[in-house]
Amino acid sequence: MTGRYLLAKDHLVPLLRKIAKSNRLVAPVLNEYGDTLFSHITDLDSAAIDLAHQPQNSLKSFFFPQTEKLSTYLVEKSPKTGNVRYNFYPHTVENQPTAYVGVRSCDMFAVMYTDMTFLHNGERDNYYQKRRDNAFFITLACNHPFPNCFCNATRSGPFLELGYDLQLTDLGDRYFVETGRSRGMKIVEQMGQFFKPASEADRREQFQLALEARGLFQRNVHVELASKILQEQDEPVGIISELSSRCQDCAGCAYVCPTCTCFNIADLPLDEESGERIRSWDACTFAGFSKMAGDHNPVQCESQRVRKRFLHKLLHDVAKHGRPSCVGCGRCVDICFGGVDIISFVDRVVKTIDHCRDVD
Amino acid sequence: MAGIEFQKQERQNKHQVGPFRQENIYLPHPAIIREIITENETVSTFVLEFEDALYRQEFTYKPGQFLMVSIPHQGEAPISISSASALTTTFALTVRKAGKLTGAMHGLSMGDVVGIRGPYGRPFPMGDLEGKNLVFVAGGIGMAPLHSALFSCLEHRQKYGAITVLYGSRNPDEICFSEEMKSFEQDENVKCLLTVDEAGDNWQGHVGLVTELLDMISIDPGTSKALVCGPGIMIRFVIARLESLGMQAPDIITTLERHMKCGVGICGHCHFDEKLICSDGPVFTRDELTNLENI
């Protein structure tokens, strides 16, 4: 059952301190360079928790690290027969309950999406699962969307209706707290001294903020229309080719994207007899992503480099899961210096139909 | 020696290494190379068997499925199983020396141990083939997965109608399974036609594209199924020719190849439009493939 409570703002840090006794804490922290990043907090007193800005990273790397060791291997040569043995010893993922604090709806939706990829696709990825099983989420509703945000258009915000353990809404001097999944309820029960029941007036205030937030988006991105056009019309080869030619192959978009989870697996020899099997982030925009043995590449990089990225998010995943796998966080807009972000693509696709209408 | 250090560090994890190790989908199982059959200068067939007796007993696969093969220091690559799903504990991979990993694989010897995960992927719809006339159309190393299906059919020969094999190679030296192909000449169970792009001095057979062989046989579209595998461009042309001969899309079956890292639908490398080659395929019927351009 969803419960509604109030948490005084100056009770947040004491609450986190209490939670940190049995959990690792991850929250947006302002660093000395002025960047806000989701970070592990080891010392609550010195960490500058920043709930006012959008973290530049998503939670992706906490469940799916940029590089991670899957196993160690040994290549042993039998002195007797000269035969080679290739043996693997799996790496164990460290296992620690973690509270993710200040997570906005886009990033929470992204975690739910990556769950589908890693856990619900037939095979379960045990490295991801161990981290995921230990996670609980204290999310923060977005009262004020940031300049490049468009989660309203991807149906992933700005307020959450599911997925969170506790959702906080900033009501000025206090947080309105909703309990979602069971772990959130447990926190309220175990740490009842921090919470008091919310009144009907508080609930109305929160409801009003949620309504207002929807009107505060600065970007008007027609994601659903673009998906519909992609379904109904021929592939926009010209747009894909134009944006591909501007792509500099840096993979920044895929790395900051909270739902991009393509990876590479490679052996990293340490010496002749041993090495590590490493998994690392990959990106479909990289020239070598689809390259097969003998350098055969079925993807034409010059004209199709960004094809998979945009069609996967806006066409194929809509067909498969009923929603795009873009969560509208706007990070690719911030990072791409070539303007090859998902908003450029959506805008161009939508324009094709506007153009048709003009001709009609 | 770093090797020893790691042995110490990681041995504690060894209890996780059960006979099936299903809890970690990325962990390969040791398999011994029992035999290496040289098919030609660039292609060899590796006959393998799992080291673990339990796994050896439990391991089964179907024609059209593939394995993720680990070669020392080279990582992994998806390789089609070329043997029939017979009741032996061994299985075979027919591999062309094409890149780094396959090159290193060709440097291995009998008795060496490699890592194997799988089998993965959707197999050929063997049940649907029963009672049908079968046309196998292969190009180059594309013969490997078809070989698995073909010899599975031959094990239960009475279940199928006429079986025809059309096989194109670059030149006579590049023909794989040449002994078996030769034996089909005397075999009334199989009609086999070979073609090469460039004939050598000793080549008496057909010279030209494998699509030309389709004109030398008669196909009854209503009772036939075609299984096609080879380079992308060859698959495209063969499918077009089969369609022009009146074959229906669901009766044309192909198996596709893509770069893969996980083999189980997670890593994203083998996206082919809305499909994943590894888990939705690699076997597809023509009607499941809307766009043949980038195969």
Side-chain angles (χ1 to χ4, degrees):
Chain A
M1 210 188 81
T2 305
R4 298 182 176 112
Y5 303 88
L6 290 178
L7 171 70
K9 270 199 171 166
D10 51 8
H11 282 171
L12 179 64
V13 170
L15 170 70
L16 295 181
R17 191 168 284 127
K18 186 109 196 215
I19 290 172
K21 282 187 177 160
S22 50
N23 293 279
R24 224 165 42 145
L25 278 187
V26 170
V29 173
L30 183 68
N31 69 15
E32 55 188 303
Y33 303 101
D35 298 324
T36 298
L37 294 163
F38 276 116
S39 315
H40 285 300
I41 295 178
T42 45
D43 179 12
L44 259 173
D45 295 315
S46 61
I49 294 181
D50 177 12
L51 297 180
H53 298 98
Q54 183 184 29
Q56 292 178 21
N57 57 343
S58 71
L59 292 180
K60 179 166 77 175
S61 64
F62 293 92
F63 300 104
F64 168 51
Q66 186 158 5
T67 59
E68 101 176 277
K69 180 162 79 174
L70 295 182
S71 48
T72 299
Y73 66 80
L74 295 177
V75 181
E76 294 161 309
K77 200 167 187 168
S78 160
K80 212 166 147 191
T81 62
N83 277 133
V84 172
R85 280 192 59 83
Y86 191 26
N87 254 358
F88 289 85
Y89 303 92
H91 178 65
T92 317
V93 174
E94 55 162 321
N95 212 0
Q96 219 180 335
T98 305
Y100 295 90
V101 182
V103 180
R104 290 167 192 272
S105 57
C106 52
D107 288 336
M108 191 66 240
F109 262 97
V111 171
M112 291 189 269
Y113 172 77
T114 54
D115 282 355
M116 286 198 283
T117 306
F118 284 103
L119 303 178
H120 307 306
N121 216 1
E123 295 278 0
R124 282 174 169 261
D125 182 301
N126 63 312
Y127 298 85
Y128 178 93
Q129 186 170 18
K130 273 194 183 145
R131 300 185 179 102
R132 188 63 183 81
D133 285 347
N134 275 321
F136 85 92
F137 299 91
I138 301 178
T139 63
L140 179 67
C142 267
N143 292 356
H144 294 280
F146 299 101
N148 289 326
C149 290
F150 56 103
C151 63
N152 57 333
T154 51
R155 291 187 286 127
S156 48
F159 282 53
L160 281 166
E161 285 162 11
L162 72 160
Y164 57 86
D165 292 285
L166 291 176
Q167 172 166 251
L168 309 182
T169 305
D170 190 337
L171 298 184
D173 60 339
R174 64 207 189 283
Y175 291 110
F176 183 80
V177 182
E178 292 160 282
T179 59
R181 288 182 312 202
S182 58
R183 285 194 218 194
M185 197 62 226
K186 215 175 257 172
I187 294 279
V188 174
E189 281 166 6
Q190 286 169 352
M191 303 174 192
Q193 68 271 35
F194 296 108
F195 301 94
K196 60 178 192 183
S199 69
E200 185 55 26
D202 296 320
R203 196 198 63 77
R204 271 203 301 274
E205 192 177 339
Q206 191 249 7
F207 184 70
Q208 193 57 34
L209 279 172
L211 280 184
E212 282 170 18
R214 292 188 175 280
L216 294 173
F217 284 90
Q218 297 166 38
R219 290 274 195 167
N220 193 10
V221 188
H222 301 284
V223 175
E224 274 185 24
L225 179 58
S227 291
K228 196 164 171 277
I229 294 168
L230 290 172
Q231 271 166 46
E232 290 170 358
Q233 316 259 324
D234 287 344
E235 189 174 311
V237 178
I239 296 170
I240 289 172
S241 152
E242 180 207 343
L243 291 176
S244 292
S245 72
R246 291 191 56 82
C247 172
Q248 299 299 307
D249 206 9
C250 77
C253 54
Y255 286 7
V256 295
C257 177
T259 63
C260 269
T261 54
C262 284
F263 58 78
N264 186 21
I265 298 177
D267 279 6
L268 186 71
L270 294 171
D271 55 32
E272 284 206 353
E273 293 145 356
S274 70
E276 293 175 351
R277 179 155 288 182
I278 302 289
R279 151 156 88 184
S280 51
W281 291 358
D282 209 337
C284 62
T285 51
F286 278 144
F289 185 78
S290 301
K291 203 158 76 181
M292 296 192 282
D295 285 344
H296 172 62
N297 197 340
V299 176
Q300 309 299 318
C301 287
E302 294 296 307
S303 60
Q304 298 180 321
R305 194 188 288 283
V306 300
R307 176 178 183 265
K308 187 181 294 185
R309 180 174 163 75
F310 293 139
L311 296 189
H312 184 197
K313 289 195 189 305
L314 299 173
L315 173 64
H316 303 143
D317 271 342
V318 173
K320 201 169 174 181
H321 303 303
R323 59 161 57 240
S325 53
C326 169
V327 292
C329 70
R331 289 187 177 97
C332 58
V333 184
D334 292 325
I335 206 154
C336 184
F337 48 84
V340 193
D341 54 77
I342 202 152
I343 295 183
S344 324
F345 181 72
V346 168
D347 285 350
R348 280 169 170 76
V349 169
V350 170
K351 259 189 205 143
T352 59
I353 198 120
D354 287 347
H355 175 70
C356 293
R357 278 185 191 143
D358 291 346
V359 173
D360 290 345
Chain B
M1 223 168 65
I4 301 283
E5 273 308 303
F6 274 101
Q7 237 168 326
K8 274 189 219 152
Q9 250 181 48
E10 305 286 343
R11 276 281 146 86
Q12 55 182 337
N13 295 333
K14 220 186 166 178
H15 65 275
Q16 294 188 1
V17 188
F20 310 121
R21 300 178 202 168
Q22 298 291 20
E23 75 279 9
N24 187 338
I25 54 173
Y26 299 108
L27 195 64
H29 314 264
I32 307 167
I33 301 175
R34 293 293 186 204
E35 196 185 347
I36 300 174
I37 303 158
T38 305
E39 302 288 349
N40 58 48
E41 213 168 279
T42 56
V43 178
S44 287
T45 295
F46 297 82
V47 181
L48 296 151
E49 188 174 41
F50 283 106
E51 208 171 46
D52 187 315
L54 282 178
Y55 205 83
R56 209 184 297 158
Q57 292 304 322
E58 292 298 315
F59 180 74
T60 56
Y61 62 92
K62 295 188 175 119
Q65 290 193 297
F66 65 93
L67 299 170
M68 291 302 291
V69 182
S70 291
I71 301 299
H73 295 305
Q74 306 298 327
E76 285 180 308
I79 296 177
S80 298
I81 302 172
S82 60
S83 47
S85 52
L87 299 167
T88 59
T89 54
T90 57
F91 52 94
L93 303 168
T94 302
V95 183
R96 187 166 68 96
K97 207 190 289 182
K100 258 178 74 184
L101 183 140
T102 52
M105 193 168 179
H106 277 254
L108 296 175
S109 319
M110 252 167 69
D112 286 348
V113 173
V114 299
I116 298 285
R117 296 193 284 128
Y120 299 126
R122 183 169 64 158
F124 286 111
M126 298 306 286
D128 296 350
L129 305 184
E130 288 179 17
K132 300 283 183 182
N133 297 318
L134 305 179
V135 185
F136 293 84
V137 190
I141 193 67
M143 192 65 198
L146 293 189
H147 185 270
S148 176
L150 171 63
F151 279 80
S152 296
C153 293
L154 292 178
E155 280 171 10
H156 309 281
R157 183 64 188 88
Q158 71 289 352
K159 286 188 184 170
Y160 307 93
I163 293 182
T164 309
V165 177
L166 310 178
Y167 180 22
S169 302
R170 218 171 295 170
N171 58 58
D173 293 336
E174 289 198 10
I175 296 171
C176 301
F177 313 108
S178 48
E179 289 302 310
E180 287 162 344
M181 296 301 144
K182 204 176 276 173
S183 75
F184 290 149
E185 285 174 16
Q186 325 294 335
D187 192 340
E188 58 188 23
N189 282 320
V190 184
K191 182 183 169 117
C192 176
L193 299 177
L194 305 180
T195 183
V196 294
D197 295 344
E198 303 154 22
D201 293 340
N202 298 321
W203 183 251
Q204 312 294 323
H206 189 270
V207 180
L209 298 173
V210 75
T211 40
E212 294 165 14
L213 297 180
L214 283 168
D215 301 327
M216 297 163 65
I217 60 165
S218 66
I219 297 178
D220 173 17
T223 59
S224 302
K225 294 252 185 202
L227 290 82
V228 185
C229 186
I233 188 164
M234 171 259 176
I235 294 178
R236 216 155 49 227
F237 278 99
V238 169
I239 288 177
R241 187 76 195 106
L242 288 168
E243 284 177 324
S244 74
L245 290 170
M247 284 201 68
Q248 298 298 304
D251 294 326
I252 303 174
I253 304 158
T254 187
T255 169
L256 302 182
E257 194 185 18
R258 269 292 187 282
H259 187 50
M260 293 174 194
K261 288 297 174 185
C262 73
V264 293
I266 302 176
C267 79
H269 274 268
C270 66
H271 260 284
F272 177 66
D273 292 337
E274 77 286 5
K275 294 183 177 65
L276 288 164
I277 301 286
C278 68
S279 48
D280 296 324
V283 172
F284 294 98
T285 53
R286 168 68 181 100
D287 52 314
E288 292 170 321
L289 303 170
T290 42
N291 176 11
L292 292 178
E293 214 164 285
N294 289 328
I295 58 173

